[in-house]
Amino acid sequence: MTAAPARLLAAHVDDFVIYLAAERGFSVHTVRAYRTDLAGLVAYAETRGVTDTEGLSLDLLRDWLWVATQAGLARATIARRSASARSFTAWLARTGGSSADPAVRLRSPKPGRPLPRVINRAQMQDLLTHLELRARTNDPAALRELAIVELLYASGLRVSELVGLDVADVDLHRLTVRVTGKGAKERVVPFGVPAQTAILAYLGRARPVLAAGGVQETGVQKAAVQNALFLGARRQRLGVRAVYRLVATLLAGIPGNEPAGPHALRHTAATHLLDGGADLRAVQELLGHASLGTTQIYTHVSAERLQQSYRSAHPRA
């Protein structure tokens, strides 16, 4: 018995998601997302009287995405639906399910990139003042926290770069730190006198205490202790999660949208540099971005702040 034409397109979708799971090895979550997107395409096609694969056209696919856009769906969702449709129609053409691939020229909108969270100058100063007061107690953890936050804010380091630093990577005379970033690329990043002061205090009064405590280590662990700049409570190199928890806790009380981890300090450093007149390419070098386009998101943050200041201060805004 021949399947009803209205079921034909849906049957191809069923075969396609089986192919994704069995042959491509996609996760259950990914397969479910494809199925949901393509079920929506099938339902829309049926409203246009299209019930088989030969009825799929570029115009129909564009209209499907346009309807979703008008419904207020996020750009990332539209982009994902477009990708699902392109994969499906390419598979149909490749396996003989259709005579042509109508989605070859289907373009998807670029997902909107949310502006990163940035802490304003007053909030940042309040945070650093709080940490400085705690550090005056000579508590090793407090001295370490001040050095970490000062260095993150001064240099815009990624948290992975920070925890990977060795003592020898820091030049306290030239006020620079040698960083190994993404792709094992090295760069030299400057920092300021406040960060220098905090690191000196940490190295002199906190790190020896942290290095002396904890568990008995093996030869490899001992070498790590001797080299690592920032140590944890167990005489080991401080990890990414520990730094994330520290910064997230410190920023929890500051108004603003999430996320509130170490990357917020990186965003803040870049934005404050641009606000102060730094060259965009210099900020790119500082952050270790391969593309200038990645750095340009911070110009949008600075522009938004400028507009806010203008609206609140200018008499004819």
Side-chain angles (χ1 to χ4, degrees):
M1 180 177 179
T2 303
R7 294 287 302 163
L8 188 58
L9 188 56
H12 279 291
V13 169
D14 289 339
D15 291 342
F16 177 63
V17 295
I18 291 172
Y19 156 77
L20 294 178
E23 297 189 33
R24 296 292 302 277
F26 285 8
S27 69
V28 173
H29 176 77
T30 301
V31 172
R32 185 184 301 117
Y34 271 96
R35 181 183 289 279
T36 300
D37 290 341
L38 295 175
L41 173 59
V42 169
Y44 178 76
E46 289 180 354
T47 68
R48 297 279 296 269
V50 173
T51 58
D52 58 34
T53 56
E54 294 302 323
L56 289 178
S57 66
L58 179 60
D59 286 341
L60 184 144
L61 294 171
R62 285 172 173 169
D63 289 347
W64 172 56
L65 296 179
W66 182 83
V67 169
T69 302
Q70 294 301 109
L73 270 65
R75 294 177 69 181
T77 302
I78 305 299
R80 192 197 68 212
R81 288 189 175 189
S82 176
S84 296
R86 290 198 305 272
S87 297
F88 177 54
T89 59
W91 174 81
L92 285 173
R94 189 170 63 251
T95 58
S98 64
S99 58
D101 181 358
V104 169
R105 293 187 292 120
L106 182 65
R107 293 184 178 180
S108 60
K110 293 182 179 179
R113 178 183 291 183
L115 293 179
R117 180 182 182 183
V118 174
I119 303 156
N120 67 43
R121 291 175 182 268
Q123 291 171 335
M124 197 67 218
Q125 186 56 56
D126 288 344
L127 173 60
L128 292 171
T129 299
H130 167 70
L131 292 173
E132 287 169 0
L133 290 173
R134 290 184 56 195
R136 289 177 188 173
T137 64
N138 281 330
D139 175 64
L143 288 163
R144 182 186 60 200
E145 290 174 6
L146 176 61
I148 286 172
V149 174
E150 281 280 14
L151 187 55
L152 284 173
Y153 176 53
S155 60
L157 297 184
R158 300 178 179 93
V159 64
S160 59
E161 296 169 345
L162 178 95
V163 300
L165 291 176
D166 289 337
V167 175
D169 293 327
V170 182
D171 190 330
L172 290 167
H173 298 290
R174 296 183 179 179
L175 301 185
T176 59
V177 59
R178 186 176 67 250
V179 179
T180 302
K182 289 186 176 180
K185 293 181 179 179
E186 284 194 358
R187 68 185 190 279
V188 175
V189 180
F191 55 82
V193 172
Q196 177 199 41
T197 302
I199 294 171
L200 279 170
Y202 163 75
L203 289 175
R205 305 201 301 269
R207 192 180 180 282
V209 176
L210 295 170
V215 297
Q216 187 68 30
E217 68 276 345
T218 65
V220 173
Q221 291 171 327
K222 185 175 182 180
V225 169
Q226 291 172 343
N227 296 331
L229 176 61
F230 291 111
L231 299 177
R234 295 177 60 81
R235 197 158 50 172
Q236 297 173 347
R237 185 183 292 271
L238 199 65
V240 168
R241 290 185 179 180
V243 177
Y244 189 96
R245 286 195 300 269
L246 162 65
V247 178
T249 299
L250 291 172
L251 300 186
I254 298 178
N257 297 325
E258 296 296 335
H263 229 62
L265 297 181
R266 179 172 164 87
H267 299 323
T268 299
T271 303
H272 289 181
L273 279 167
L274 290 170
D275 287 344
D279 178 74
L280 185 62
R281 289 200 176 274
V283 176
Q284 177 192 3
E285 291 293 327
L286 181 89
L287 298 178
H289 285 160
S291 167
L292 187 63
T294 307
T295 314
Q296 284 177 330
I297 189 173
Y298 299 110
T299 65
H300 300 312
V301 177
S302 294
E304 185 179 76
R305 287 188 162 214
L306 177 61
Q307 290 173 347
Q308 290 175 348
S309 297
Y310 180 86
R311 287 193 295 266
S312 63
H314 198 285
R316 297 182 68 82

